Amino acid sequence: MVTFLPRLPGRLADVPSFDRAIGGAESNVACTLARTGHTTRWISRVGTDGFGDHLLAAIAGCGVDVGHVRRDPRRPTGVYFRTAGDRATDTHEVAYYRAGSAASAMTADGLDTAAVHSGRILHLTGITAALSAGCLGLLRELTARRPGRPLLSFDVNYRPGLWRDSARARVLLDLARGADLVFVGGDEARDAWGLTGPRAIREALPEPHTLVVKQGEAGATVFRRTGEPGARRDDTTFVPALHVDPVAATGAGDAFAAGFLSATLRGLPDRARLRHGHLQAAAALTVPGDLATPPARPYADRLAALDDSAWERLHLAPGWTDADASGHRAEEEVPTQ
């Protein structure tokens, strides 16, 4: 979608002007992965309008392949407006204009299987499932366990505003069970499924090989299944979140997923995967929009390799990603050890 960000704080009714940006969970992940050196492809539908032109140009500008995005001459590109406040507060407002959008018309019948299965990882989110019956059917098709599919990553991304009631949102639990790697926030699992705590979530989602439970300011836990059939168990790793001076929370979950997936593609251990997730989330938290400039990979690797004591002392503020390509700190660099 095209995102409109307020230039001033306040209610949507009172904000006089907005800045245009891009938004959307899957495209956020693709853009962040591309900016961290990975080959990515975004597959979707947009209108033949100017907003569709803007989305394609902006996402391609991040290095993402948009050659398989379809243009719909009959339906518009989705847009949304939001306030500057944190999504978790009562003052936060989001106004979605995506009913009848081009993306909501996606279906399993129009699926380009070769394009979808061409990568090492296929990343999906529960937001798509909420857009229409056709989109839900598409997600059911993609999460069905079949031979030959790539590693399937699924971010639950429960958005109450997109679901009529939490009972309908239980379909997200069924979709997650078909994935190999699942991201879910502890608050999402509580609100959508009535589950509390990482262990309860894992018990409800035993099927995915890897489950990542995001626990807000506390940190994140990954469960990874190991062992042979009949003797399988979970290796469990927890990594605390970083101390961050936030600007806006929107996009942080997508950035976390991108950081974790980047480290997964690189074959890094679970602790490093979680740390790279936290670092990318910290980059998103310290900018006003959905997308941030990621830290250079050598810099991120050096921070992810800190000992536990140094990691817990890191304090990141706006501008912290300003390091040169060699990974050395910029003069205004914020992390302290």
Side-chain angles (χ1 to χ4, degrees), residues 7 25 88-89 124 153 158 170 220 280 289 329 337:
R7 291 185 173 178
T89 69
L124 311 169
S153 167
Y158 172 59
R170 289 192 67 85
Q280 295 295 347
R329 295 181 179 182
Q337 298 179 33

Side-chain angles (χ1 to χ4, degrees), residues 32-292:
T32 301
L33 281 168
R35 286 171 155 182
T36 53
H38 298 282
T39 300
T40 64
R41 170 180 290 160
W42 180 57
I43 300 174
S44 188
R45 290 171 68 102
V46 299
T48 55
D49 48 28
F51 287 149
D53 294 342
H54 170 66
L55 275 180
L56 291 181
I59 294 171
C62 291
V64 179
D65 174 9
V66 296
H68 291 268
V69 176
R70 296 187 178 181
R71 306 299 299 267
D72 191 327
R74 295 180 299 156
R75 299 176 180 86
T77 303
V79 300
Y80 84 102
F81 297 77
R82 67 172 175 85
T83 53
D86 191 327
R87 180 184 284 133
T89 69
D90 292 336
T91 60
H92 183 69
E93 298 175 75
V94 175
Y96 288 106
Y97 297 93
R98 61 198 309 173
S101 68
S104 71
M106 292 188 296
T107 65
D109 291 339
L111 184 64
D112 185 341
T113 304
V116 169
H117 288 178
S118 63
R120 291 170 57 192
I121 294 177
L122 171 61
H123 181 70
L124 311 169
T125 84
I127 293 176
T128 302
L131 299 183
S132 67
C135 285
L136 176 56
L138 172 63
L139 266 288
R140 289 191 186 280
E141 174 68 21
L142 291 173
T143 56
R145 294 186 179 275
R146 293 190 176 92
R149 77 176 190 184
L151 186 149
L152 196 142
S153 167
F154 182 74
D155 192 339
V156 171
N157 247 321
Y158 172 59
R159 296 288 181 267
L162 296 178
W163 298 92
R164 294 175 186 171
D165 55 65
S166 58
R168 288 189 68 242
R170 289 192 67 85
V171 70
L172 296 173
L173 190 61
D174 296 332
L175 296 174
R177 286 170 173 153
D180 304 303
L181 164 60
V182 172
F183 299 95
V184 63
D187 55 344
E188 295 176 306
R190 180 193 64 241
D191 295 344
W193 308 329
L195 301 172
T196 302
R199 181 57 60 182
I201 298 170
R202 182 51 161 170
E203 290 175 356
L205 278 171
E207 297 88 354
H209 178 275
T210 304
L211 170 67
V212 181
V213 180
K214 298 171 289 183
Q215 296 158 259
E217 294 181 357
T221 299
V222 59
F223 298 91
R224 179 191 293 278
R225 192 175 63 226
T226 60
E228 299 298 325
R232 287 176 174 168
R233 60 182 179 82
D234 271 335
D235 285 344
T236 305
T237 304
F238 172 81
V239 171
L242 292 160
H243 302 287
V244 179
D245 295 337
V247 173
T250 306
D254 304 327
F256 180 95
F260 190 96
L261 291 174
S262 173
T264 298
L265 287 164
R266 297 169 61 198
L268 301 182
D270 285 342
R271 187 182 78 151
R273 297 182 191 192
L274 289 172
R275 285 190 170 189
H276 278 279
H278 286 316
L279 287 166
Q280 295 295 347
L285 285 167
T286 50
V287 298
D290 284 21
L291 285 172

